[in-house]
Amino acid sequence: MAGIVTKQAKAGARRARGPRTPAQIGLVLIATVFLVVFLLLPLVVVFSEALSKGLGLYFAAITEPEAMNAIKLTLIAAGIAVPLNTLFGLGASWALAKFEFKGKSFLLSLIDLPFSVSPVVAGLIFVLLYGTQGFLGEWLADNRIRVIFAVPGIVLATMFITFPFVARELIPLMQQQGNDEELAARSLGASGWQIFRRVTLPNIKWGVLYGVILCNARAMGEFGAVSVVSGHIRGKTNTLPLHVEILYNEYQFAAAFACASLLALLALITLALKSFIEWRGHSGS
Amino acid sequence: MHPTAYAVGLTMARKHKSVLPGFGLSLGFTLFYLSLAVLLPMAALALKAASVSLDDIGRTLGSERVQAALWLSLRTAFIAGVINVVFGLLVAWVLERYNFPGRRLLDAFVDLPFALPTAVAGIALTALYSPNGWLGSIAGIAGIKVVYTELGIIVALTFIGLPFVVRTVQPVLQDLDAEIEEAAASLGATPYQTFRYIILPHVTPALITGFTLAFARALGEYGSVVFISGNLPGKTEIAPLAIMTKLEQYDYNGAVVIAALLLVVSLIILFIINGLQAWGRKRKLA
């Protein structure tokens, strides 16, 4: 703990210095210009294009029935995938951070697996499993269940893509916190559930929130994987990012950017919350 | 914490681990959900890939269009990774070492490519770099065309990959004491020498890890690229799009061959990253 405090004090002292020599000022300027041109301008373009045809068209574009359906489907997919993956993250971090067992690092790599799969490949594997030509295709057709080109496929693909987010955030955090407090609670006679609720959860709550907002941002914004399994049926299997694509490909640029601006707003909220949690995490502990 | 104290703590923790309840339940749930959500669909790809005939593999990988797509993806992901190493190190350095107005805001914005949906990034970059866009018109004066060219793909992949390099290098720079740099300077080292002999060796493992992460992400990237690339077969068609094309033609075997190849490359990269991180840790302890 003392090590962390001195390190932070040191970092603060170091940062207190502004750039002094012309070379240092030059470096700061180059980095700032690079970030503004490269990261900030695309974001500004989204809002400027969205409002280029006036506020009336902007609100018309985001309230037309197809857009509303796309928003609804996006909320459904994230509304299922995010809570399930959060539950998984909590369970996995308890098993992996609190206990030692054989094959743990292998299990960790398996949890990370969806991060190294291309979104298009992630969509493809669900087509191979649940599509009409897929391994379970015949059985699903016999039971009149549609997964691919329907809502369940979109939910499954979203779950896959966002699978590791919460677990990845919590496992290192819980490992770092150790077991001391839980063991003390145990020795005082607390049950497993009580330990988790009263001791562990309060300690990791900012970590959980951090994982959830990142998971949610990706779930609502996922494009490639969802694009493969959705079939682009307007008003039925279009999520918001897919709706943006369709409008864009139909040269309805202002409408496409209007819908995109909603997703850009989501990104801004995500960044703001993320910074807040990082700040809170620093000053809170 | 002192290393020996840490080791003692570790053994103590291990001794007590079985005291905590819920191991069976949490591990069982983890394995069950992992199997259902990830392993089962991945097994479908493995099974399908194993059943593809050599003929199909030869036909798919022998096609000039597929080869062009694979090389294009590897080439552009590599170039974007190199650009990100240079600018990522610069950005991480400036954010870590200097205090200036707007520093915290810029630091937060580094994560924008993580938070912004790829399709939104794709259409925004296309609008920005198109011949009558804000930046495209400037590039046009110099006779440079960005949209619907390989350069456009590189721009999109650089955008997507930047946070990987910055966020891997930043903590390492934070660890490196400014006093070491000051000591080097007080012994008469020029800023270049300090950078070349003190800073660069220290951040190299992190730089390579960041490059590899950005490269792996760029190789599979789809949403931000398909709008700006124009998707001309053999020219600006990337590997993930080649999979998409095969699927649209109901050539499932062809799609599986390209997908399996991409996946194997990603797994090799993942393996390299794990090795690199172990290397970085070892160097830190030494």
Side-chain angles (χ1 to χ4, degrees):
Chain A
M1 208 57 207
I4 294 171
V5 172
T6 45
K7 190 166 281 166
Q8 271 175 355
K10 226 186 264 166
R14 190 190 306 155
R15 255 198 211 121
R17 293 183 311 177
R20 281 173 301 189
T21 65
Q24 287 173 347
I25 295 171
L27 284 180
V28 171
L29 273 179
I30 296 172
T32 307
V33 169
F34 174 74
L35 287 178
V36 168
V37 168
F38 217 71
L39 296 187
L40 230 49
L41 271 190
L43 193 67
V44 177
V45 161
V46 172
F47 290 101
S48 113
E49 291 280 329
L51 297 169
S52 62
K53 296 268 165 67
L55 271 176
L57 199 138
Y58 179 83
F59 284 110
I62 58 177
T63 51
E64 58 143 349
E66 277 165 15
M68 293 303 273
N69 270 323
I71 293 171
K72 207 173 91 189
L73 186 55
T74 295
L75 291 176
I76 290 173
I80 298 172
V82 175
L84 279 177
N85 285 339
T86 306
L87 207 64
F88 164 75
L90 287 169
S93 56
W94 183 265
L96 283 135
K98 300 288 178 199
F99 302 94
E100 290 297 328
F101 54 92
K102 257 193 189 149
K104 193 161 128 173
S105 57
F106 181 63
L107 187 56
L108 267 171
S109 326
L110 285 183
I111 292 175
D112 272 348
L113 194 60
F115 274 159
S116 43
V117 175
S118 165
V120 174
V121 178
L124 171 71
I125 59 178
F126 286 98
V127 173
L128 293 176
L129 190 58
Y130 301 111
T132 40
Q133 312 276 318
F135 291 102
L136 301 174
E138 218 166 295
W139 182 85
L140 288 170
D142 287 346
N143 289 285
R144 292 168 192 279
I145 304 169
R146 273 188 84 86
V147 177
I148 299 305
F149 302 154
V151 177
I154 292 172
V155 174
L156 285 170
T158 307
M159 269 168 61
F160 180 91
I161 287 287
T162 57
F163 181 82
F165 276 93
V166 181
R168 255 223 165 173
E169 197 53 50
L170 290 184
I171 293 168
L173 179 68
M174 274 166 77
Q175 262 168 348
Q176 190 200 336
Q177 288 180 343
N179 292 355
D180 295 351
E181 293 183 32
E182 281 82 1
L183 289 170
R186 184 69 176 162
S187 71
L188 293 170
S191 73
W193 175 242
Q194 281 174 323
I195 296 175
F196 181 73
R197 261 227 48 193
R198 302 277 184 81
V199 179
T200 310
L201 211 51
N203 276 338
I204 59 167
K205 61 174 188 260
W206 294 111
V208 177
L209 197 63
Y210 196 90
V212 166
I213 56 166
L214 292 185
C215 184
N216 180 63
R218 185 67 198 263
M220 290 191 171
E222 178 50 31
F223 177 69
V226 169
S227 174
V228 175
V229 296
S230 106
H232 298 88
I233 306 164
R234 287 188 92 143
K236 283 222 170 101
T237 61
N238 263 342
T239 60
L240 199 49
L242 296 177
H243 187 61
V244 169
E245 182 199 18
I246 289 189
L247 290 173
Y248 187 87
N249 287 341
E250 287 173 349
Y251 303 103
Q252 303 189 43
F253 294 128
F257 278 101
C259 291
S261 75
L262 294 179
L263 291 164
L265 215 56
L266 170 78
L268 283 174
I269 295 169
T270 303
L271 287 184
L273 280 173
K274 191 173 165 292
S275 302
F276 171 74
I277 294 169
E278 277 161 359
W279 170 77
R280 186 68 188 56
H282 262 286
S283 60
S285 61
Chain B
M1 207 190 282
H2 194 267
T4 45
Y6 181 68
V8 170
L10 214 63
T11 40
M12 270 167 59
R14 227 173 249 147
K15 228 187 274 172
H16 282 285
K17 279 222 158 131
S18 53
V19 176
L20 286 178
F23 177 61
L25 179 70
S26 58
L27 186 67
F29 171 65
T30 301
L31 291 175
F32 173 74
Y33 187 66
L34 175 75
S35 309
L36 216 60
V38 175
L39 299 184
L40 182 69
M42 291 303 284
L45 177 66
L47 267 176
K48 185 78 184 174
S51 73
V52 171
S53 67
L54 279 175
D55 245 21
D56 276 331
I57 298 175
R59 174 183 56 83
T60 307
L61 296 184
S63 120
E64 266 176 40
R65 183 171 169 182
V66 172
Q67 283 177 2
L70 286 167
W71 283 123
L72 177 68
S73 275
L74 286 171
R75 190 168 59 236
T76 49
F78 184 84
I79 296 172
V82 171
I83 297 173
N84 275 329
V85 163
V86 175
F87 282 96
L89 177 60
L90 173 71
V91 168
W93 172 261
V94 165
L95 289 176
E96 267 319 306
R97 282 295 192 269
Y98 305 120
N99 200 13
F100 56 96
R103 188 189 67 82
R104 289 180 66 99
L105 197 67
L106 283 183
D107 193 25
F109 265 106
V110 167
D111 283 325
L112 182 74
F114 281 159
L116 194 69
T118 53
V120 179
I123 63 171
L125 290 172
T126 312
L128 194 58
Y129 290 94
S130 76
N132 43 19
W134 296 346
L135 294 177
S137 53
I138 300 173
I141 296 170
I144 302 166
K145 213 171 158 306
V146 183
V147 168
Y148 306 150
T149 66
E150 208 173 307
L151 185 60
I153 302 175
I154 295 170
V155 167
L157 294 181
T158 310
F159 177 85
I160 286 296
L162 182 72
F164 288 99
V165 178
V166 178
R167 294 302 186 223
T168 348
V169 172
Q170 249 179 332
V172 178
L173 281 177
Q174 209 167 30
D175 263 2
L176 180 69
D177 277 326
E179 282 120 54
I180 300 176
E181 292 152 36
E182 279 156 17
S186 73
L187 291 172
T190 63
Y192 170 75
Q193 283 172 325
T194 313
F195 175 76
R196 174 68 188 76
Y197 298 104
I198 309 284
I199 299 157
L200 202 56
H202 192 79
V203 297
T204 299
L207 273 180
I208 302 175
T209 306
F211 169 84
T212 322
L213 285 168
F215 179 78
R217 171 71 200 263
L219 210 52
E221 179 56 25
Y222 176 73
S224 60
V225 177
V226 285
F227 296 99
I228 203 168
S229 72
N231 309 325
L232 295 167
K235 284 227 170 94
T236 57
E237 184 183 53
I238 52 167
L241 188 78
I243 298 177
M244 209 70 149
T245 313
K246 293 276 177 206
L247 268 177
E248 273 160 16
Q249 297 163 345
Y250 299 101
D251 179 4
Y252 287 98
N253 287 349
V256 165
V257 169
I258 308 172
L261 192 67
L262 269 190
L263 190 67
V264 168
V265 175
S266 308
L267 291 180
I268 293 172
I269 292 171
L270 193 73
F271 194 70
I272 295 173
I273 293 171
N274 283 340
L276 281 171
Q277 277 165 350
W279 178 44
R281 271 196 300 274
K282 228 196 241 162
R283 281 177 44 132
K284 214 171 135 187
L285 287 178

